[in-house]
Amino acid sequence: MAIANNVVLLRDFIEADIEDYIRWQTLETDWKLWDAPWEHEGKSEAQCRKELEEDIEWMRSFANESAALSDSAPRRRLEVCLADSDNPYAATHIGSVSSYRIDDEYNIAKDGGRLAFGIDLNATDVQGRGYGFAALILFAGYLFGLGEPSLYCQTWSGNERMIRLANKLGCRECCRRIGIRRVRGAVYDGLTFVLSRDDFNKVSAAS
């Protein structure tokens, strides 16, 4: 499955993507400064190597799972590529969008009644070019099309780029947890935003 606009396309994960993620985990790592950086700080080389091995094993399994999905099966994750090829699997791969369930207290919960979505643009030199907005417009539209009444996104108060992107999408802050994140020696708040279907439709129509 693939969906696209004139900026980016979203497609299923394939095994060839693993090579990109290995590079992004080991060489092009600037994204780790913004995507849940507290999960990456203070780890030894041995810990990082073990986690990468586990990630590769998971990605191989996920590639097989994705290949078996019908076009109509709902997706929880799609890969972000530039719209620079008519073939989705030849387009330049730059990251992913994904979704996960949260409960009424905005905590991650497998059986939570609310759906949160997020984005990782892992490739270098892709920030500030509108790719994140274009990808999330596509993904949010896809998730609303599956019947979700509202969508949520979560970040931390130091991630100004994600906050600007959330606001541009029409999201509104609905929960702030003071001082729960420590990043590079400073303390930040945990933020949750909500995106209503009506607000999304207004932004989507204007974009």
Side-chain angles (χ1 to χ4, degrees), residues 11-52:
R11 60 156 174 81
D12 287 326
F13 184 86
I14 58 174
E15 190 165 355
D17 294 333
I18 296 175
E19 183 176 344
D20 291 333
Y21 281 103
I22 292 174
R23 186 177 70 255
W24 294 334
Q25 285 286 355
T26 58
L27 297 175
E28 299 176 18
T29 59
D30 286 352
W31 62 274
K32 293 183 180 182
L33 297 173
W34 308 106
D35 175 36
W38 52 89
E39 295 181 355
H40 309 293
E41 293 181 345
K43 291 183 177 178
S44 68
E45 184 177 339
Q47 286 175 310
C48 292
R49 185 167 55 250
K50 181 180 179 183
E51 288 184 0
L52 180 57

mmCIF file of all heavy atoms in Angstrom, residues 11-52:
data_model
loop_
_atom_site.group_PDB
_atom_site.id
_atom_site.type_symbol
_atom_site.label_atom_id
_atom_site.label_comp_id
_atom_site.label_asym_id
_atom_site.label_seq_id
_atom_site.Cartn_x
_atom_site.Cartn_y
_atom_site.Cartn_z
ATOM 1 N N ARG A 11 4.527 4.512 2.392
ATOM 2 C CA ARG A 11 4.401 3.139 1.885
ATOM 3 C C ARG A 11 4.741 2.156 2.990
ATOM 4 O O ARG A 11 5.284 2.516 4.044
ATOM 5 C CB ARG A 11 5.333 2.931 0.693
ATOM 6 C CG ARG A 11 6.812 3.156 1.011
ATOM 7 C CD ARG A 11 7.696 2.406 0.051
ATOM 8 N NE ARG A 11 9.117 2.697 0.221
ATOM 9 C CZ ARG A 11 9.893 2.148 1.144
ATOM 10 N NH1 ARG A 11 9.398 1.313 2.044
ATOM 11 N NH2 ARG A 11 11.189 2.446 1.204
ATOM 12 N N ASP A 12 4.453 0.894 2.721
ATOM 13 C CA ASP A 12 4.756 -0.164 3.676
ATOM 14 C C ASP A 12 6.275 -0.342 3.848
ATOM 15 O O ASP A 12 7.063 -0.065 2.941
ATOM 16 C CB ASP A 12 4.153 -1.490 3.206
ATOM 17 C CG ASP A 12 2.647 -1.534 3.363
ATOM 18 O OD1 ASP A 12 2.136 -0.948 4.328
ATOM 19 O OD2 ASP A 12 1.972 -2.160 2.509
ATOM 20 N N PHE A 13 6.640 -0.848 5.003
ATOM 21 C CA PHE A 13 8.032 -1.175 5.307
ATOM 22 C C PHE A 13 8.459 -2.393 4.495
ATOM 23 O O PHE A 13 7.694 -3.350 4.321
ATOM 24 C CB PHE A 13 8.154 -1.484 6.802
ATOM 25 C CG PHE A 13 9.552 -1.752 7.276
ATOM 26 C CD1 PHE A 13 10.381 -0.708 7.647
ATOM 27 C CD2 PHE A 13 10.039 -3.049 7.340
ATOM 28 C CE1 PHE A 13 11.673 -0.952 8.081
ATOM 29 C CE2 PHE A 13 11.326 -3.303 7.784
ATOM 30 C CZ PHE A 13 12.149 -2.251 8.157
ATOM 31 N N ILE A 14 9.687 -2.360 3.973
ATOM 32 C CA ILE A 14 10.245 -3.510 3.253
ATOM 33 C C ILE A 14 11.622 -3.834 3.834
ATOM 34 O O ILE A 14 12.241 -3.005 4.508
ATOM 35 C CB ILE A 14 10.357 -3.238 1.739
ATOM 36 C CG1 ILE A 14 11.216 -2.009 1.469
ATOM 37 C CG2 ILE A 14 8.977 -3.100 1.115
ATOM 38 C CD1 ILE A 14 11.500 -1.755 0.000
ATOM 39 N N GLU A 15 12.104 -5.015 3.561
ATOM 40 C CA GLU A 15 13.376 -5.453 4.154
ATOM 41 C C GLU A 15 14.542 -4.569 3.734
ATOM 42 O O GLU A 15 15.481 -4.366 4.511
ATOM 43 C CB GLU A 15 13.657 -6.913 3.785
ATOM 44 C CG GLU A 15 14.827 -7.496 4.547
ATOM 45 C CD GLU A 15 14.889 -9.002 4.468
ATOM 46 O OE1 GLU A 15 13.969 -9.614 3.902
ATOM 47 O OE2 GLU A 15 15.862 -9.570 4.990
ATOM 48 N N ALA A 16 14.482 -3.999 2.534
ATOM 49 C CA ALA A 16 15.559 -3.119 2.074
ATOM 50 C C ALA A 16 15.693 -1.874 2.940
ATOM 51 O O ALA A 16 16.758 -1.244 2.970
ATOM 52 C CB ALA A 16 15.327 -2.728 0.616
ATOM 53 N N ASP A 17 14.635 -1.506 3.681
ATOM 54 C CA ASP A 17 14.693 -0.337 4.559
ATOM 55 C C ASP A 17 15.615 -0.558 5.758
ATOM 56 O O ASP A 17 16.062 0.410 6.389
ATOM 57 C CB ASP A 17 13.293 0.022 5.074
ATOM 58 C CG ASP A 17 12.362 0.483 3.968
ATOM 59 O OD1 ASP A 17 12.862 1.008 2.958
ATOM 60 O OD2 ASP A 17 11.136 0.309 4.128
ATOM 61 N N ILE A 18 15.892 -1.793 6.093
ATOM 62 C CA ILE A 18 16.707 -2.089 7.273
ATOM 63 C C ILE A 18 18.075 -1.429 7.157
ATOM 64 O O ILE A 18 18.607 -0.890 8.138
ATOM 65 C CB ILE A 18 16.837 -3.609 7.476
ATOM 66 C CG1 ILE A 18 15.467 -4.220 7.778
ATOM 67 C CG2 ILE A 18 17.832 -3.920 8.605
ATOM 68 C CD1 ILE A 18 15.467 -5.739 7.890
ATOM 69 N N GLU A 19 18.640 -1.427 5.970
ATOM 70 C CA GLU A 19 19.959 -0.814 5.769
ATOM 71 C C GLU A 19 19.934 0.668 6.127
ATOM 72 O O GLU A 19 20.880 1.193 6.735
ATOM 73 C CB GLU A 19 20.394 -1.001 4.314
ATOM 74 C CG GLU A 19 21.784 -0.460 4.016
ATOM 75 C CD GLU A 19 22.219 -0.736 2.589
ATOM 76 O OE1 GLU A 19 21.595 -1.587 1.931
ATOM 77 O OE2 GLU A 19 23.189 -0.090 2.134
ATOM 78 N N ASP A 20 18.836 1.350 5.759
ATOM 79 C CA ASP A 20 18.704 2.768 6.123
ATOM 80 C C ASP A 20 18.669 2.941 7.632
ATOM 81 O O ASP A 20 19.331 3.832 8.183
ATOM 82 C CB ASP A 20 17.432 3.356 5.512
ATOM 83 C CG ASP A 20 17.509 3.471 3.999
ATOM 84 O OD1 ASP A 20 18.634 3.603 3.477
ATOM 85 O OD2 ASP A 20 16.444 3.427 3.353
ATOM 86 N N TYR A 21 17.886 2.094 8.310
ATOM 87 C CA TYR A 21 17.770 2.235 9.758
ATOM 88 C C TYR A 21 19.079 1.903 10.472
ATOM 89 O O TYR A 21 19.387 2.506 11.514
ATOM 90 C CB TYR A 21 16.607 1.393 10.289
ATOM 91 C CG TYR A 21 15.281 2.068 10.058
ATOM 92 C CD1 TYR A 21 14.430 1.654 9.039
ATOM 93 C CD2 TYR A 21 14.899 3.153 10.840
ATOM 94 C CE1 TYR A 21 13.229 2.298 8.799
ATOM 95 C CE2 TYR A 21 13.703 3.806 10.610
ATOM 96 C CZ TYR A 21 12.870 3.375 9.593
ATOM 97 O OH TYR A 21 11.686 4.036 9.363
ATOM 98 N N ILE A 22 19.858 0.994 9.956
ATOM 99 C CA ILE A 22 21.174 0.728 10.545
ATOM 100 C C ILE A 22 22.044 1.985 10.431
ATOM 101 O O ILE A 22 22.729 2.384 11.398
ATOM 102 C CB ILE A 22 21.852 -0.471 9.856
ATOM 103 C CG1 ILE A 22 21.082 -1.761 10.177
ATOM 104 C CG2 ILE A 22 23.313 -0.593 10.297
ATOM 105 C CD1 ILE A 22 21.589 -2.980 9.426
ATOM 106 N N ARG A 23 22.019 2.633 9.273
ATOM 107 C CA ARG A 23 22.795 3.868 9.096
ATOM 108 C C ARG A 23 22.301 4.968 10.021
ATOM 109 O O ARG A 23 23.103 5.689 10.631
ATOM 110 C CB ARG A 23 22.696 4.317 7.636
ATOM 111 C CG ARG A 23 23.586 5.524 7.314
ATOM 112 C CD ARG A 23 23.526 5.886 5.841
ATOM 113 N NE ARG A 23 22.247 6.447 5.437
ATOM 114 C CZ ARG A 23 21.321 5.814 4.745
ATOM 115 N NH1 ARG A 23 21.497 4.552 4.370
ATOM 116 N NH2 ARG A 23 20.189 6.410 4.418
ATOM 117 N N TRP A 24 20.984 5.080 10.166
ATOM 118 C CA TRP A 24 20.433 6.119 11.022
ATOM 119 C C TRP A 24 20.698 5.854 12.507
ATOM 120 O O TRP A 24 20.742 6.777 13.317
ATOM 121 C CB TRP A 24 18.931 6.254 10.768
ATOM 122 C CG TRP A 24 18.617 6.750 9.389
ATOM 123 C CD1 TRP A 24 19.419 7.512 8.588
ATOM 124 C CD2 TRP A 24 17.427 6.510 8.638
ATOM 125 N NE1 TRP A 24 18.804 7.765 7.389
ATOM 126 C CE2 TRP A 24 17.579 7.161 7.388
ATOM 127 C CE3 TRP A 24 16.247 5.811 8.887
ATOM 128 C CZ2 TRP A 24 16.601 7.142 6.404
ATOM 129 C CZ3 TRP A 24 15.279 5.784 7.900
ATOM 130 C CH2 TRP A 24 15.439 6.449 6.680
ATOM 131 N N GLN A 25 20.864 4.616 12.874
ATOM 132 C CA GLN A 25 21.166 4.283 14.261
ATOM 133 C C GLN A 25 22.647 4.455 14.598
ATOM 134 O O GLN A 25 23.004 4.638 15.765
ATOM 135 C CB GLN A 25 20.755 2.838 14.560
ATOM 136 C CG GLN A 25 19.264 2.610 14.708
ATOM 137 C CD GLN A 25 18.711 3.146 16.019
ATOM 138 O OE1 GLN A 25 19.441 3.622 16.870
ATOM 139 N NE2 GLN A 25 17.401 3.056 16.175
ATOM 140 N N THR A 26 23.506 4.391 13.593
ATOM 141 C CA THR A 26 24.946 4.360 13.860
ATOM 142 C C THR A 26 25.711 5.554 13.317
ATOM 143 O O THR A 26 26.743 5.941 13.887
ATOM 144 C CB THR A 26 25.563 3.080 13.265
ATOM 145 O OG1 THR A 26 25.303 3.036 11.858
ATOM 146 C CG2 THR A 26 24.971 1.833 13.930
ATOM 147 N N LEU A 27 25.239 6.165 12.218
ATOM 148 C CA LEU A 27 25.994 7.248 11.581
ATOM 149 C C LEU A 27 25.214 8.561 11.560
ATOM 150 O O LEU A 27 25.703 9.577 12.058
ATOM 151 C CB LEU A 27 26.387 6.842 10.155
ATOM 152 C CG LEU A 27 27.316 5.624 10.037
ATOM 153 C CD1 LEU A 27 27.525 5.254 8.571
ATOM 154 C CD2 LEU A 27 28.653 5.894 10.716
ATOM 155 N N GLU A 28 24.033 8.553 10.989
ATOM 156 C CA GLU A 28 23.212 9.762 10.899
ATOM 157 C C GLU A 28 22.273 9.812 12.102
ATOM 158 O O GLU A 28 21.112 9.410 12.020
ATOM 159 C CB GLU A 28 22.427 9.759 9.582
ATOM 160 C CG GLU A 28 23.306 9.736 8.343
ATOM 161 C CD GLU A 28 22.501 9.646 7.057
ATOM 162 O OE1 GLU A 28 21.285 9.932 7.079
ATOM 163 O OE2 GLU A 28 23.091 9.273 6.029
ATOM 164 N N THR A 29 22.776 10.298 13.220
ATOM 165 C CA THR A 29 22.063 10.151 14.490
ATOM 166 C C THR A 29 21.509 11.458 15.064
ATOM 167 O O THR A 29 21.065 11.484 16.210
ATOM 168 C CB THR A 29 22.985 9.498 15.536
ATOM 169 O OG1 THR A 29 24.144 10.322 15.722
ATOM 170 C CG2 THR A 29 23.419 8.109 15.087
ATOM 171 N N ASP A 30 21.515 12.541 14.303
ATOM 172 C CA ASP A 30 21.032 13.815 14.840
ATOM 173 C C ASP A 30 19.582 13.735 15.320
ATOM 174 O O ASP A 30 19.188 14.446 16.251
ATOM 175 C CB ASP A 30 21.155 14.916 13.783
ATOM 176 C CG ASP A 30 22.591 15.362 13.577
ATOM 177 O OD1 ASP A 30 23.459 14.918 14.361
ATOM 178 O OD2 ASP A 30 22.844 16.144 12.638
ATOM 179 N N TRP A 31 18.780 12.886 14.694
ATOM 180 C CA TRP A 31 17.368 12.754 15.069
ATOM 181 C C TRP A 31 17.209 12.323 16.518
ATOM 182 O O TRP A 31 16.189 12.611 17.162
ATOM 183 C CB TRP A 31 16.662 11.762 14.145
ATOM 184 C CG TRP A 31 17.211 10.364 14.209
ATOM 185 C CD1 TRP A 31 18.262 9.864 13.505
ATOM 186 C CD2 TRP A 31 16.750 9.297 15.054
ATOM 187 N NE1 TRP A 31 18.495 8.554 13.840
ATOM 188 C CE2 TRP A 31 17.581 8.179 14.793
ATOM 189 C CE3 TRP A 31 15.729 9.174 15.986
ATOM 190 C CZ2 TRP A 31 17.410 6.963 15.441
ATOM 191 C CZ3 TRP A 31 15.558 7.961 16.625
ATOM 192 C CH2 TRP A 31 16.388 6.870 16.358
ATOM 193 N N LYS A 32 18.218 11.644 17.082
ATOM 194 C CA LYS A 32 18.132 11.179 18.463
ATOM 195 C C LYS A 32 18.132 12.340 19.467
ATOM 196 O O LYS A 32 17.750 12.155 20.624
ATOM 197 C CB LYS A 32 19.295 10.237 18.779
ATOM 198 C CG LYS A 32 19.250 8.919 18.025
ATOM 199 C CD LYS A 32 20.400 8.004 18.453
ATOM 200 C CE LYS A 32 20.378 6.684 17.715
ATOM 201 N NZ LYS A 32 21.469 5.776 18.157
ATOM 202 N N LEU A 33 18.537 13.522 19.031
ATOM 203 C CA LEU A 33 18.519 14.686 19.904
ATOM 204 C C LEU A 33 17.101 15.169 20.173
ATOM 205 O O LEU A 33 16.874 15.920 21.122
ATOM 206 C CB LEU A 33 19.336 15.821 19.282
ATOM 207 C CG LEU A 33 20.831 15.560 19.081
ATOM 208 C CD1 LEU A 33 21.458 16.715 18.302
ATOM 209 C CD2 LEU A 33 21.531 15.367 20.414
ATOM 210 N N TRP A 34 16.133 14.730 19.350
ATOM 211 C CA TRP A 34 14.768 15.257 19.425
ATOM 212 C C TRP A 34 13.714 14.188 19.663
ATOM 213 O O TRP A 34 12.708 14.441 20.312
ATOM 214 C CB TRP A 34 14.452 16.025 18.126
ATOM 215 C CG TRP A 34 15.506 17.035 17.842
ATOM 216 C CD1 TRP A 34 16.490 16.972 16.888
ATOM 217 C CD2 TRP A 34 15.731 18.258 18.553
ATOM 218 N NE1 TRP A 34 17.305 18.064 16.961
ATOM 219 C CE2 TRP A 34 16.861 18.877 17.975
ATOM 220 C CE3 TRP A 34 15.081 18.884 19.630
ATOM 221 C CZ2 TRP A 34 17.362 20.088 18.429
ATOM 222 C CZ3 TRP A 34 15.580 20.100 20.088
ATOM 223 C CH2 TRP A 34 16.703 20.686 19.484
ATOM 224 N N ASP A 35 13.932 12.996 19.149
ATOM 225 C CA ASP A 35 12.955 11.920 19.326
ATOM 226 C C ASP A 35 13.250 11.174 20.621
ATOM 227 O O ASP A 35 14.142 10.327 20.671
ATOM 228 C CB ASP A 35 13.011 10.963 18.131
ATOM 229 C CG ASP A 35 12.098 9.765 18.330
ATOM 230 O OD1 ASP A 35 11.010 9.928 18.913
ATOM 231 O OD2 ASP A 35 12.484 8.652 17.933
ATOM 232 N N ALA A 36 12.482 11.484 21.667
ATOM 233 C CA ALA A 36 12.660 10.839 22.983
ATOM 234 C C ALA A 36 14.143 10.701 23.341
ATOM 235 O O ALA A 36 14.640 9.595 23.547
ATOM 236 C CB ALA A 36 11.965 9.485 23.011
ATOM 237 N N PRO A 37 14.872 11.823 23.416
ATOM 238 C CA PRO A 37 16.325 11.746 23.640
ATOM 239 C C PRO A 37 16.702 11.074 24.949
ATOM 240 O O PRO A 37 17.815 10.539 25.063
ATOM 241 C CB PRO A 37 16.772 13.215 23.602
ATOM 242 C CG PRO A 37 15.525 14.004 23.873
ATOM 243 C CD PRO A 37 14.411 13.213 23.295
ATOM 244 N N TRP A 38 15.807 11.076 25.929
ATOM 245 C CA TRP A 38 16.099 10.418 27.207
ATOM 246 C C TRP A 38 16.258 8.911 27.044
ATOM 247 O O TRP A 38 16.850 8.271 27.908
ATOM 248 C CB TRP A 38 14.980 10.721 28.217
ATOM 249 C CG TRP A 38 13.612 10.437 27.708
ATOM 250 C CD1 TRP A 38 12.917 9.265 27.786
ATOM 251 C CD2 TRP A 38 12.764 11.353 26.997
ATOM 252 N NE1 TRP A 38 11.701 9.375 27.178
ATOM 253 C CE2 TRP A 38 11.567 10.647 26.688
ATOM 254 C CE3 TRP A 38 12.875 12.682 26.606
ATOM 255 C CZ2 TRP A 38 10.507 11.250 26.009
ATOM 256 C CZ3 TRP A 38 11.818 13.272 25.923
ATOM 257 C CH2 TRP A 38 10.654 12.568 25.633
ATOM 258 N N GLU A 39 15.756 8.369 25.934
ATOM 259 C CA GLU A 39 15.917 6.936 25.679
ATOM 260 C C GLU A 39 17.290 6.600 25.104
ATOM 261 O O GLU A 39 17.679 5.437 25.076
ATOM 262 C CB GLU A 39 14.831 6.443 24.721
ATOM 263 C CG GLU A 39 13.418 6.527 25.297
ATOM 264 C CD GLU A 39 12.376 6.005 24.331
ATOM 265 O OE1 GLU A 39 12.752 5.659 23.182
ATOM 266 O OE2 GLU A 39 11.186 5.954 24.701
ATOM 267 N N HIS A 40 18.008 7.623 24.643
ATOM 268 C CA HIS A 40 19.293 7.392 23.985
ATOM 269 C C HIS A 40 20.488 7.822 24.829
ATOM 270 O O HIS A 40 21.612 7.400 24.553
ATOM 271 C CB HIS A 40 19.328 8.146 22.650
ATOM 272 C CG HIS A 40 18.158 7.889 21.765
ATOM 273 N ND1 HIS A 40 17.912 6.658 21.187
ATOM 274 C CD2 HIS A 40 17.130 8.693 21.366
ATOM 275 C CE1 HIS A 40 16.801 6.714 20.467
ATOM 276 N NE2 HIS A 40 16.312 7.936 20.561
ATOM 277 N N GLU A 41 20.266 8.666 25.824
ATOM 278 C CA GLU A 41 21.377 9.205 26.603
ATOM 279 C C GLU A 41 21.952 8.171 27.569
ATOM 280 O O GLU A 41 21.217 7.365 28.150
ATOM 281 C CB GLU A 41 20.917 10.440 27.393
ATOM 282 C CG GLU A 41 20.565 11.624 26.500
ATOM 283 C CD GLU A 41 20.128 12.842 27.296
ATOM 284 O OE1 GLU A 41 19.817 12.698 28.497
ATOM 285 O OE2 GLU A 41 20.079 13.946 26.719
ATOM 286 N N GLY A 42 23.258 8.220 27.747
ATOM 287 C CA GLY A 42 23.922 7.427 28.776
ATOM 288 C C GLY A 42 24.075 5.955 28.503
ATOM 289 O O GLY A 42 24.392 5.182 29.415
ATOM 290 N N LYS A 43 23.884 5.528 27.266
ATOM 291 C CA LYS A 43 23.997 4.108 26.959
ATOM 292 C C LYS A 43 25.411 3.762 26.530
ATOM 293 O O LYS A 43 26.070 4.530 25.815
ATOM 294 C CB LYS A 43 22.999 3.707 25.865
ATOM 295 C CG LYS A 43 21.550 3.745 26.330
ATOM 296 C CD LYS A 43 20.621 3.270 25.253
ATOM 297 C CE LYS A 43 19.170 3.253 25.759
ATOM 298 N NZ LYS A 43 18.227 2.842 24.701
ATOM 299 N N SER A 44 25.872 2.596 26.954
ATOM 300 C CA SER A 44 27.199 2.138 26.577
ATOM 301 C C SER A 44 27.192 1.632 25.141
ATOM 302 O O SER A 44 26.134 1.372 24.550
ATOM 303 C CB SER A 44 27.661 1.019 27.506
ATOM 304 O OG SER A 44 26.869 -0.149 27.308
ATOM 305 N N GLU A 45 28.376 1.471 24.565
ATOM 306 C CA GLU A 45 28.491 0.938 23.217
ATOM 307 C C GLU A 45 27.906 -0.470 23.139
ATOM 308 O O GLU A 45 27.250 -0.822 22.150
ATOM 309 C CB GLU A 45 29.961 0.913 22.797
ATOM 310 C CG GLU A 45 30.188 0.455 21.364
ATOM 311 C CD GLU A 45 31.648 0.514 20.963
ATOM 312 O OE1 GLU A 45 32.408 1.259 21.613
ATOM 313 O OE2 GLU A 45 32.019 -0.187 19.999
ATOM 314 N N ALA A 46 28.119 -1.255 24.180
ATOM 315 C CA ALA A 46 27.584 -2.618 24.204
ATOM 316 C C ALA A 46 26.051 -2.603 24.226
ATOM 317 O O ALA A 46 25.401 -3.411 23.549
ATOM 318 C CB ALA A 46 28.117 -3.381 25.406
ATOM 319 N N GLN A 47 25.464 -1.707 25.002
ATOM 320 C CA GLN A 47 24.006 -1.600 25.057
ATOM 321 C C GLN A 47 23.442 -1.201 23.699
ATOM 322 O O GLN A 47 22.441 -1.755 23.242
ATOM 323 C CB GLN A 47 23.597 -0.572 26.110
ATOM 324 C CG GLN A 47 23.767 -1.036 27.541
ATOM 325 C CD GLN A 47 23.450 0.070 28.533
ATOM 326 O OE1 GLN A 47 23.954 1.198 28.415
ATOM 327 N NE2 GLN A 47 22.608 -0.245 29.511
ATOM 328 N N CYS A 48 24.092 -0.233 23.062
ATOM 329 C CA CYS A 48 23.628 0.217 21.751
ATOM 330 C C CYS A 48 23.720 -0.906 20.722
ATOM 331 O O CYS A 48 22.817 -1.079 19.898
ATOM 332 C CB CYS A 48 24.450 1.416 21.292
ATOM 333 S SG CYS A 48 24.172 2.922 22.267
ATOM 334 N N ARG A 49 24.789 -1.672 20.788
ATOM 335 C CA ARG A 49 24.969 -2.769 19.840
ATOM 336 C C ARG A 49 23.894 -3.839 20.035
ATOM 337 O O ARG A 49 23.323 -4.347 19.072
ATOM 338 C CB ARG A 49 26.364 -3.369 20.006
ATOM 339 C CG ARG A 49 26.702 -4.460 18.977
ATOM 340 C CD ARG A 49 28.187 -4.791 18.984
ATOM 341 N NE ARG A 49 28.657 -5.155 20.308
ATOM 342 C CZ ARG A 49 29.473 -4.390 21.047
ATOM 343 N NH1 ARG A 49 29.887 -3.211 20.602
ATOM 344 N NH2 ARG A 49 29.874 -4.803 22.243
ATOM 345 N N LYS A 50 23.593 -4.158 21.297
ATOM 346 C CA LYS A 50 22.571 -5.154 21.581
ATOM 347 C C LYS A 50 21.196 -4.675 21.126
ATOM 348 O O LYS A 50 20.425 -5.450 20.524
ATOM 349 C CB LYS A 50 22.541 -5.468 23.078
ATOM 350 C CG LYS A 50 21.499 -6.522 23.450
ATOM 351 C CD LYS A 50 21.497 -6.810 24.938
ATOM 352 C CE LYS A 50 20.437 -7.847 25.290
ATOM 353 N NZ LYS A 50 20.367 -8.106 26.744
ATOM 354 N N GLU A 51 20.884 -3.417 21.383
ATOM 355 C CA GLU A 51 19.594 -2.881 20.972
ATOM 356 C C GLU A 51 19.462 -2.878 19.454
ATOM 357 O O GLU A 51 18.385 -3.153 18.904
ATOM 358 C CB GLU A 51 19.403 -1.471 21.526
ATOM 359 C CG GLU A 51 19.154 -1.454 23.026
ATOM 360 C CD GLU A 51 18.869 -0.056 23.540
ATOM 361 O OE1 GLU A 51 18.876 0.899 22.722
ATOM 362 O OE2 GLU A 51 18.629 0.083 24.752
ATOM 363 N N LEU A 52 20.560 -2.572 18.753
ATOM 364 C CA LEU A 52 20.518 -2.583 17.298
ATOM 365 C C LEU A 52 20.265 -3.988 16.775
ATOM 366 O O LEU A 52 19.471 -4.183 15.843
ATOM 367 C CB LEU A 52 21.828 -2.037 16.733
ATOM 368 C CG LEU A 52 21.926 -1.990 15.196
ATOM 369 C CD1 LEU A 52 20.789 -1.175 14.605
ATOM 370 C CD2 LEU A 52 23.281 -1.441 14.772
#
